[in-house]
Amino acid sequence: MEARLASRPVGELTEEHFELVDAEVGEPGEGEFLVRNDWMLLSVVMRDLMEAEPHPELPMSGYQVGEPPWAPTVGTVVRSNSPEYAVGDLVRHTYGFREHVVGDAGDWAFTKLDPDLLPGPHYHLNQGPTAWRGMVELAGAGEGDTVFVSAATSGVGSVAGQIARCRGAARVIGSTGSKDKIGYLVDELGFDAAFDYHDGPVAERLAELAPDGIDVFFDNVAGEQFEAALRLAAPNARFVLCGGLSGRNPTLDLEPAVLRDVTFRGFTTSYEPESYAAWTEHYSRWLREGRFVFPHTVVEGGIAEVPRALVAQLRGAYRGTALVKLS
Ligand SMILES: NC(=O)c1ccc[n+]([C@@H]2O[C@H](COP(=O)([O-])OP(=O)(O)OC[C@H]3O[C@@H](n4cnc5c(N)ncnc54)[C@H](OP(=O)(O)O)[C@@H]3O)[C@@H](O)[C@H]2O)c1
């Protein structure tokens, strides 16, 4: 069974934009293997990839009507004619929105995973590489910093804030879209403070929570949250620009940027092997030490639930990384 994109949404995505198809999965040929998909990640970026012409500079391909979209996925090899992949191997790949896929060892989309590295197979579907690149490699967040993360309950934001905390930040503040998610950030993820961005002017909320200014801003939202953070930038503040969920470009007030030596750095995730290894090493250690939680929501129900779950994800229904349990 697979969930195909049946038509391109104009405006809001609904379940009707998908069709569930009992698709034939062939037997693996010479050098190939059959994977049972166990877990799949959902993200807001999937809506952008459904456009007929997604932004030409996005570092990933758009979705085609009549095909199952790609998505980060983890599965288990259940049949193999490949010397490199054995039955039982855990693999990560991008052939999501389907229950099974035939893989080829030469396909770069497949990576074999160490099943003993993390507490469960779904822990491999985290947004850590993006959060690590922005928070550590570019912002250099560390001891004494006051850090602000916008869209802090997103897959990326919920990891980014915890990375800053584990690296000794003095104060980690997050913004979110609902009251109940404030408790999640503070009580479960260890943020020092959080606020609902619907709750009055963002600049006022931030000024209350970061009276001494912001050293590091990890921005997933742009718009008003960026404007507010810049007004409160501390001297030598580092702003890393990860995404623009608000869909609104901020009005740039250059005065605080000039007077306080603020650095801005936009980025896309690089997946450099050294960066990936550094993130995985810290992630597995912090999990073992009980200093880090993998922030995620599990949607049960298999492939049939994927369209409904993605619609819910786009409405902000979930906390942390949204995962569908496929098997
Ligand atoms: N630069 C890169 O390489 C890279 C890579 C991956 C992702 N990203 C970016 O990282 C950000 C998070 O992606 P993700 O995959 O982690 O997201 P996600 O897990 O799908 O989380 C989505 C969350 O974002 C919040 N949100 C949605 N619309 C919003 C709006 N208009 N204003 C403020 N918050 C909004 C909602 O939380 P609330 O209910 O709390 O509002 C929602 O639950 C996005 O901007 C994405 O483009 C960048």
Side-chain angles (χ1 to χ4, degrees):
M1 182 87 80
E2 59 188 37
R4 295 181 183 164
L5 183 65
S7 60
R8 296 196 187 281
V10 177
E12 207 171 336
L13 181 76
T14 67
E15 291 170 51
E16 284 67 48
H17 290 108
F18 288 93
E19 59 176 346
L20 288 167
V21 178
D22 209 352
E24 182 94 357
V25 184
E27 283 298 313
E30 197 51 42
E32 294 182 334
F33 49 91
L34 179 68
V35 176
R36 180 196 67 223
N37 288 340
D38 300 323
W39 296 90
M40 194 192 108
L41 178 149
L42 298 174
S43 161
V44 283
V45 81
M46 291 174 170
R47 173 65 188 82
D48 299 335
L49 299 176
M50 289 174 191
E51 295 293 328
E53 292 179 11
H55 197 292
E57 289 172 56
L58 273 177
M60 63 273 263
S61 52
Y63 294 159
Q64 302 306 319
V65 172
E67 291 180 12
W70 68 264
T73 304
V74 163
T76 308
V77 175
V78 290
R79 280 206 279 286
S80 180
N81 294 323
S82 160
E84 288 160 67
Y85 283 82
V87 170
D89 278 353
L90 189 66
V91 292
R92 185 181 48 226
H93 61 81
T94 52
Y95 297 95
F97 287 82
R98 67 203 91 184
E99 290 178 303
H100 292 91
V101 65
V102 172
D104 183 311
D107 183 345
W108 64 267
F110 288 89
T111 309
K112 220 190 287 189
L113 300 170
D114 175 356
D116 300 323
L117 187 68
L118 299 173
H122 55 301
Y123 278 65
H124 289 271
L125 289 176
N126 63 81
Q127 299 272 28
T130 301
W132 180 265
R133 174 143 171 80
M135 195 57 95
V136 178
E137 296 183 340
L138 302 179
E143 279 189 21
D145 283 329
T146 294
V147 176
F148 171 42
V149 181
S150 60
T153 57
S154 66
V156 173
S158 55
V159 173
Q162 289 190 84
I163 290 174
R165 177 175 51 69
C166 286
R167 286 172 54 88
R171 192 162 168 72
V172 182
I173 300 161
S175 68
T176 183
S178 67
K179 298 271 178 297
D180 64 312
K181 288 184 179 177
I182 293 176
Y184 175 67
L185 288 170
V186 174
D187 301 334
E188 294 182 45
L189 303 189
F191 281 59
D192 297 285
F195 65 95
D196 180 348
Y197 61 82
H198 299 104
D199 219 1
V202 172
E204 288 178 19
R205 297 291 77 73
L206 261 186
E208 289 158 12
L209 298 176
D212 299 325
I214 292 162
D215 299 298
V216 170
F217 177 36
F218 190 108
D219 190 17
N220 293 308
V221 171
E224 184 192 359
Q225 303 207 35
F226 180 99
E227 290 160 10
L230 183 53
R231 223 180 291 170
L232 289 163
N236 300 304
R238 293 92 74 199
F239 280 35
V240 285
L241 314 179
C242 180
L245 285 167
S246 69
R248 194 168 80 67
N249 282 324
T251 305
L252 247 191
D253 176 0
L254 287 175
E255 197 172 80
V258 172
L259 294 177
R260 296 179 219 149
D261 283 16
V262 179
T263 307
F264 302 99
R265 176 68 196 257
F267 72 101
T268 52
T269 317
S270 61
Y271 292 99
E272 294 297 331
E274 306 76 41
S275 301
Y276 197 82
W279 155 245
T280 310
E281 193 267 310
H282 283 82
Y283 177 46
S284 57
R285 180 158 51 79
W286 288 336
L287 283 168
R288 271 198 312 278
E289 292 169 354
R291 301 171 63 202
F292 197 97
V293 295
F294 171 36
H296 66 284
T297 301
V298 174
V299 179
E300 303 271 355
I303 189 77
E305 279 304 310
V306 168
R308 203 182 345 266
L310 184 54
V311 169
Q313 166 69 357
L314 295 178
R315 293 183 182 150
Y318 304 132
R319 300 156 171 206
T321 298
L323 301 173
V324 182
K325 196 165 188 305
L326 292 174
S327 73

